[in-house]
Amino acid sequence: LISTSAGWCTACIEEQPALEALYNSRNEKGLEVMVALFQDATYMPATPMLAQQWKEQYGLNLTVVVDPAAPTGDLEFALSPYYNTDLTPMNMLIDLESMTILEVTLGWDENRMTSIIDAML
């Protein structure tokens, strides 16, 4: 499960405990969860320092990475082809064996995502 987040996104911040709980309850069964930060609270591209602070601030055991802007400086993020970065969080469920995108949702629908994940595990 990849979840995009930004420092300015209230819904993203509110989602962190649910992502952590999902990770903790299903990681032993094979679920991996990764948060990809693309901007800080001032809409600047995320940095590795922000990723570390995010992980510490929200007490996360799951992986937190930076989705860097393109080197051209046009703020095109690696995951942006899959969603509108103004509509965060985006959650993408991927089958790691086939690298198939199974689900892309905007916002956090815990019941739907949990149902899909449980069916796969």
Side-chain angles (χ1 to χ4, degrees), residues 14-59:
E14 292 172 353
E15 176 186 59
Q16 299 310 297
L19 289 173
E20 180 69 11
L22 186 64
Y23 172 78
N24 288 335
S25 67
R26 290 167 176 81
N27 179 255
E28 288 185 6
K29 295 179 182 177
L31 177 68
E32 293 295 335
V33 178
M34 180 176 73
V35 173
L37 294 168
F38 64 93
Q39 289 179 335
D40 66 13
T42 63
Y43 300 89
M44 296 301 295
T47 63
M49 183 183 297
L50 175 65
Q52 184 60 36
Q53 290 170 342
W54 187 274
K55 190 169 180 147
E56 291 170 6
Q57 182 173 354
Y58 300 108

XYZ file of all heavy atoms in Angstrom, residues 14-59:
370
model
N -4.297 13.026 9.449
C -5.288 12.247 10.185
C -5.246 10.771 9.811
O -5.629 9.914 10.601
C -6.685 12.819 9.944
C -6.864 14.186 10.568
C -8.172 14.858 10.183
O -8.919 14.328 9.322
O -8.452 15.935 10.742
N -4.776 10.449 8.624
C -4.714 9.080 8.131
C -3.574 8.268 8.752
O -3.626 7.036 8.792
C -4.542 9.139 6.610
C -4.360 7.825 5.917
C -4.058 7.986 4.446
O -3.041 8.645 4.108
O -4.819 7.439 3.649
N -2.544 8.921 9.245
C -1.338 8.227 9.700
C -1.598 7.160 10.766
O -1.077 6.049 10.652
C -0.274 9.229 10.158
C 0.197 10.180 9.072
C 0.589 9.484 7.776
O 1.524 8.683 7.740
N -0.129 9.784 6.701
N -2.397 7.420 11.806
C -2.639 6.359 12.806
C -3.325 5.132 12.206
O -3.017 4.001 12.579
C -3.528 7.035 13.853
C -3.259 8.491 13.695
C -2.981 8.695 12.230
N -4.244 5.339 11.260
C -4.935 4.214 10.626
C -3.972 3.401 9.762
O -4.034 2.166 9.752
C -6.108 4.718 9.786
N -3.073 4.085 9.050
C -2.078 3.375 8.248
C -1.149 2.552 9.140
O -0.830 1.409 8.830
C -1.256 4.356 7.411
C -1.967 5.030 6.248
C -1.064 6.089 5.630
C -2.413 4.020 5.212
N -0.743 3.151 10.241
C 0.146 2.450 11.173
C -0.551 1.229 11.772
O 0.040 0.155 11.879
C 0.619 3.398 12.280
C 1.541 2.759 13.290
C 2.914 2.386 12.752
O 3.287 2.777 11.630
O 3.635 1.661 13.469
N -1.813 1.380 12.152
C -2.563 0.252 12.720
C -2.732 -0.860 11.688
O -2.586 -2.053 12.016
C -3.922 0.728 13.221
N -3.022 -0.485 10.451
C -3.166 -1.467 9.382
C -1.843 -2.203 9.166
O -1.807 -3.431 9.066
C -3.615 -0.769 8.100
C -3.964 -1.654 6.917
C -5.168 -2.527 7.237
C -4.258 -0.793 5.697
N -0.778 -1.454 9.123
C 0.560 -2.045 8.958
C 0.871 -3.000 10.108
O 1.290 -4.135 9.886
C 1.604 -0.938 8.889
C 3.024 -1.434 8.905
C 3.609 -1.974 7.764
C 3.784 -1.380 10.070
C 4.918 -2.447 7.789
C 5.091 -1.851 10.094
C 5.651 -2.381 8.958
O 6.936 -2.844 8.975
N 0.678 -2.553 11.337
C 1.009 -3.372 12.504
C 0.173 -4.641 12.587
O 0.667 -5.677 13.016
C 0.857 -2.562 13.790
C 1.946 -1.533 13.951
O 3.042 -1.672 13.420
N 1.642 -0.466 14.663
N -1.077 -4.574 12.154
C -1.954 -5.741 12.270
C -1.809 -6.733 11.121
O -2.221 -7.887 11.244
C -3.417 -5.300 12.378
O -3.844 -4.694 11.167
N -1.201 -6.315 10.004
C -1.149 -7.200 8.840
C 0.250 -7.371 8.233
O 0.405 -8.099 7.261
C -2.117 -6.701 7.788
C -3.564 -6.910 8.244
C -4.540 -6.151 7.384
N -5.905 -6.422 7.773
C -6.530 -5.847 8.798
N -5.888 -4.987 9.574
N -7.784 -6.124 9.082
N 1.237 -6.738 8.798
C 2.585 -6.847 8.244
C 3.097 -8.286 8.285
O 3.721 -8.747 7.330
C 3.540 -5.906 8.975
C 4.952 -6.011 8.438
O 5.818 -6.593 9.079
N 5.173 -5.473 7.249
N 2.838 -9.002 9.366
C 3.302 -10.387 9.462
C 2.660 -11.283 8.416
O 3.203 -12.324 8.068
C 3.054 -10.937 10.864
C 3.986 -10.354 11.899
C 3.817 -10.986 13.265
O 3.047 -11.966 13.400
O 4.462 -10.503 14.209
N 1.500 -10.865 7.899
C 0.824 -11.630 6.849
C 1.307 -11.222 5.458
O 0.872 -11.792 4.466
C -0.679 -11.423 6.939
C -1.285 -11.968 8.213
C -2.768 -11.699 8.251
C -3.386 -12.185 9.549
N -4.817 -11.861 9.611
N 2.163 -10.191 5.385
C 2.726 -9.808 4.099
C 2.434 -8.392 3.630
O 2.923 -7.986 2.577
N 1.682 -7.633 4.386
C 1.367 -6.261 3.961
C 2.549 -5.338 4.218
O 3.106 -5.308 5.311
C 0.145 -5.722 4.704
C -0.217 -4.268 4.372
C -0.705 -4.142 2.928
C -1.270 -3.736 5.337
N 2.904 -4.586 3.217
C 3.871 -3.500 3.356
C 3.120 -2.197 3.141
O 2.237 -2.122 2.285
C 4.999 -3.626 2.331
C 5.893 -4.830 2.537
C 6.675 -4.786 3.835
O 6.931 -3.682 4.369
O 7.047 -5.862 4.318
N 3.452 -1.194 3.912
C 2.838 0.131 3.782
C 3.953 1.146 3.661
O 4.923 1.106 4.426
C 1.933 0.466 4.996
C 1.349 1.864 4.861
C 0.820 -0.574 5.142
N 3.803 2.044 2.701
C 4.792 3.090 2.488
C 4.072 4.424 2.312
O 3.132 4.521 1.532
C 5.618 2.796 1.234
C 6.674 3.846 0.955
S 7.703 3.418 -0.457
C 6.566 3.703 -1.801
N 4.517 5.418 3.054
C 4.024 6.782 2.896
C 5.040 7.527 2.040
O 6.233 7.515 2.337
C 3.849 7.482 4.262
C 3.490 8.947 4.076
C 2.797 6.767 5.091
N 4.556 8.161 0.976
C 5.415 8.941 0.084
C 5.058 10.414 0.246
O 3.980 10.851 -0.157
C 5.230 8.500 -1.361
N 5.945 11.164 0.870
C 5.735 12.599 1.076
C 6.200 13.363 -0.156
O 7.291 13.126 -0.661
C 6.538 13.082 2.275
C 6.121 12.537 3.634
C 7.176 12.870 4.674
C 4.778 13.095 4.035
N 5.355 14.293 -0.627
C 5.775 15.053 -1.804
C 5.956 16.536 -1.531
O 6.676 17.209 -2.268
C 4.846 14.811 -2.997
C 3.435 15.276 -2.810
C 3.049 16.540 -3.232
C 2.496 14.442 -2.244
C 1.747 16.962 -3.074
C 1.181 14.854 -2.088
C 0.804 16.130 -2.505
N 5.347 17.080 -0.495
C 5.536 18.489 -0.147
C 5.508 18.659 1.357
O 4.875 17.886 2.077
C 4.449 19.372 -0.770
C 4.573 19.532 -2.257
C 3.475 20.397 -2.848
O 2.386 20.529 -2.289
N 3.742 20.973 -4.004
N 6.165 19.734 1.812
C 6.118 20.067 3.230
C 4.926 20.988 3.489
O 4.095 21.209 2.602
C 7.446 20.666 3.703
C 7.767 22.021 3.087
O 6.888 22.671 2.474
O 8.931 22.451 3.222
N 4.843 21.530 4.680
C 3.708 22.378 5.057
C 3.656 23.697 4.286
O 2.617 24.345 4.238
C 3.737 22.652 6.555
N 4.762 24.076 3.653
C 4.802 25.326 2.890
C 4.783 25.077 1.378
O 5.152 25.955 0.607
C 6.042 26.162 3.261
O 7.223 25.424 2.898
C 6.073 26.490 4.745
N 4.365 23.875 0.978
C 4.231 23.492 -0.435
C 5.565 23.359 -1.161
O 5.600 23.321 -2.383
C 3.302 24.449 -1.196
C 1.911 24.475 -0.628
C 1.565 25.366 0.391
C 0.944 23.603 -1.080
C 0.291 25.390 0.929
C -0.346 23.609 -0.554
C -0.649 24.509 0.445
O -1.914 24.518 0.980
N 6.639 23.259 -0.425
C 7.952 23.022 -1.016
C 8.167 21.512 -1.134
O 7.590 20.750 -0.361
C 9.052 23.656 -0.155
C 8.970 25.171 -0.062
S 9.056 25.989 -1.667
C 10.715 25.563 -2.159
N 8.990 21.072 -2.085
C 9.234 19.632 -2.210
C 9.746 19.023 -0.901
O 10.528 19.639 -0.176
C 10.308 19.553 -3.302
C 10.088 20.787 -4.120
C 9.684 21.840 -3.122
N 9.253 17.839 -0.621
C 9.656 17.138 0.599
C 11.139 16.787 0.546
O 11.718 16.639 -0.526
C 8.820 15.875 0.759
N 11.721 16.649 1.723
C 13.134 16.312 1.853
C 13.265 15.052 2.715
O 12.339 14.702 3.460
C 13.905 17.447 2.549
O 13.384 17.590 3.890
C 13.788 18.761 1.789
N 14.413 14.394 2.657
C 14.632 13.247 3.549
C 14.486 13.623 5.028
O 13.996 12.827 5.826
C 16.058 12.805 3.217
C 16.236 13.214 1.786
C 15.499 14.535 1.683
N 14.859 14.844 5.391
C 14.705 15.288 6.777
C 13.223 15.332 7.161
O 12.849 14.922 8.253
C 15.338 16.661 6.993
C 15.259 17.121 8.453
S 15.911 18.778 8.745
C 17.607 18.537 8.287
N 12.382 15.818 6.251
C 10.943 15.838 6.516
C 10.420 14.417 6.704
O 9.614 14.164 7.600
C 10.186 16.539 5.391
C 8.662 16.508 5.529
C 8.202 17.282 6.757
C 7.996 17.041 4.271
N 10.877 13.486 5.877
C 10.427 12.098 5.997
C 10.778 11.535 7.370
O 9.956 10.865 8.004
C 11.041 11.249 4.887
N 11.973 11.812 7.843
C 12.384 11.333 9.166
C 11.550 11.998 10.265
O 11.105 11.332 11.202
C 13.880 11.602 9.395
C 14.404 11.060 10.700
C 14.248 9.556 10.826
O 14.387 8.814 9.855
N 13.935 9.089 12.020
N 11.328 13.297 10.156
C 10.520 14.006 11.149
C 9.083 13.483 11.153
O 8.477 13.325 12.213
C 10.529 15.504 10.859
C 11.856 16.158 11.130
C 11.914 17.596 10.618
O 11.115 18.026 9.785
N 12.902 18.334 11.084
N 8.537 13.215 9.974
C 7.164 12.704 9.837
C 7.046 11.361 10.556
O 6.115 11.140 11.324
C 6.850 12.553 8.351
C 5.446 12.198 8.001
C 4.913 10.941 7.930
C 4.392 13.097 7.633
N 3.607 10.993 7.544
C 3.259 12.313 7.350
C 4.317 14.478 7.506
C 2.052 12.874 6.947
C 3.112 15.027 7.106
C 1.996 14.243 6.835
N 8.000 10.511 10.305
C 8.007 9.183 10.916
C 8.065 9.284 12.438
O 7.327 8.598 13.146
C 9.189 8.380 10.373
C 9.172 6.936 10.743
C 10.203 6.165 9.965
C 10.136 4.722 10.387
N 10.446 3.799 9.349
N 8.911 10.147 12.939
C 9.043 10.332 14.386
C 7.814 11.014 14.981
O 7.312 10.602 16.026
C 10.290 11.149 14.688
C 11.574 10.400 14.400
C 12.819 11.269 14.471
O 12.721 12.465 14.851
O 13.908 10.755 14.151
N 7.334 12.059 14.326
C 6.197 12.823 14.851
C 4.946 11.966 15.007
O 4.199 12.118 15.967
C 5.892 14.013 13.937
C 4.752 14.877 14.428
C 4.577 16.130 13.595
O 5.366 16.433 12.714
N 3.520 16.864 13.871
N 4.724 11.062 14.040
C 3.509 10.251 14.078
C 3.772 8.834 14.591
O 2.876 7.995 14.575
C 2.834 10.245 12.698
C 2.462 11.652 12.300
C 3.152 12.314 11.300
C 1.484 12.351 13.001
C 2.847 13.631 10.971
C 1.178 13.657 12.685
C 1.866 14.294 11.673
O 1.575 15.599 11.366
N 4.967 8.577 15.088
C 5.297 7.285 15.689
C 5.102 6.120 14.738
O 4.507 5.112 15.113
